[in-house]
Amino acid sequence: TLSSSSSDGKLALSAQEWKERLSFEEYRVLRNKGTEFPNTGEYVDFQPQRGYFACRGCNNPLYSYKAKFESKCGWPAFDKFFSDSVASKIDDDGWRIEILCNKCDGHLGHVFVGEGYDTAGKARSDQRHCVNSISIKYIDEEIPHDSSEDTLRLE
């Protein structure tokens, strides 16, 4: 199967192409919706002062350095994302909200709402994007020029 980008800008690869592109663990999390063990990911305690985080599967810019905050949840936490970069859907368990890269549908983690990080002054919104470190990579460059930030519209 040939890889392609669809008319809506999505990256469409076959399972085999993803397996060739990603490590075993990256594939397990990004494509099979796995989860890293808490407090094991490379970005849990990482707090950059510039740059951004991109999808490890397709390099789509997802989160600015400003969006990362300390939540003590065991995974990197973000309060906002670059507009149109993150999608959401009800998880297969029926109660959590899964977050995915809007370009390649790679599993990022889950979003939690109303935990009080915003009122405690730790975050800029009431959303905590709980993201697997292995789903993202830090890019030590200027934030992309079209970098307005947003939160998910959850019904």
Side-chain angles (χ1 to χ4, degrees):
T1 306
L2 296 175
S3 64
S4 64
S5 289
S6 61
S7 60
D8 62 2
K10 294 256 188 194
L11 178 64
L13 298 178
S14 70
Q16 184 59 41
E17 287 170 313
W18 280 117
K19 287 177 180 176
E20 292 169 4
R21 183 178 194 144
L22 303 171
S23 72
F24 177 83
E25 188 65 7
E26 290 167 347
Y27 185 86
R28 184 185 76 79
V29 174
L30 280 164
R31 307 315 307 170
N32 288 337
K33 304 181 187 304
T35 301
E36 293 175 309
F37 285 106
N39 298 304
T40 61
E42 68 181 303
Y43 300 126
V44 174
D45 296 320
F46 178 64
Q47 195 63 49
Q49 299 303 306
R50 59 173 259 142
Y52 63 96
F53 295 84
C55 175
R56 196 174 296 255
C58 70
N59 298 315
N60 184 31
L62 301 170
Y63 301 102
S64 77
Y65 75 93
K66 295 180 283 189
K68 189 163 187 314
F69 71 97
E70 184 58 52
S71 69
K72 303 283 189 207
C73 71
W75 291 271
F78 300 89
D79 60 8
K80 293 185 177 186
F81 58 91
F82 293 133
S83 296
D84 299 320
S85 67
V86 174
S88 66
K89 71 180 196 78
I90 298 297
D91 195 271
D92 292 340
D93 66 18
W95 64 275
R96 291 183 300 172
I97 301 169
E98 179 186 7
I99 48 176
L100 307 109
C101 172
N102 202 31
K103 183 174 179 183
C104 72
D105 290 330
H107 174 76
L108 302 173
H110 295 89
V111 63
F112 300 92
V113 180
E115 297 176 314
Y117 289 106
D118 56 335
T119 56
K122 291 187 172 205
R124 302 172 299 161
S125 78
D126 70 345
Q127 295 183 7
R128 174 174 59 92
H129 289 226
C130 184
V131 177
N132 291 288
S133 287
I134 204 160
S135 296
I136 56 176
K137 60 183 175 181
Y138 174 67
I139 308 295
D140 188 13
E141 295 176 3
E142 292 300 315
I143 293 173
H145 62 85
D146 181 22
S147 59
S148 60
E149 292 178 294
D150 208 350
T151 56
L152 290 170
R153 284 159 187 73
L154 305 169
E155 303 301 319

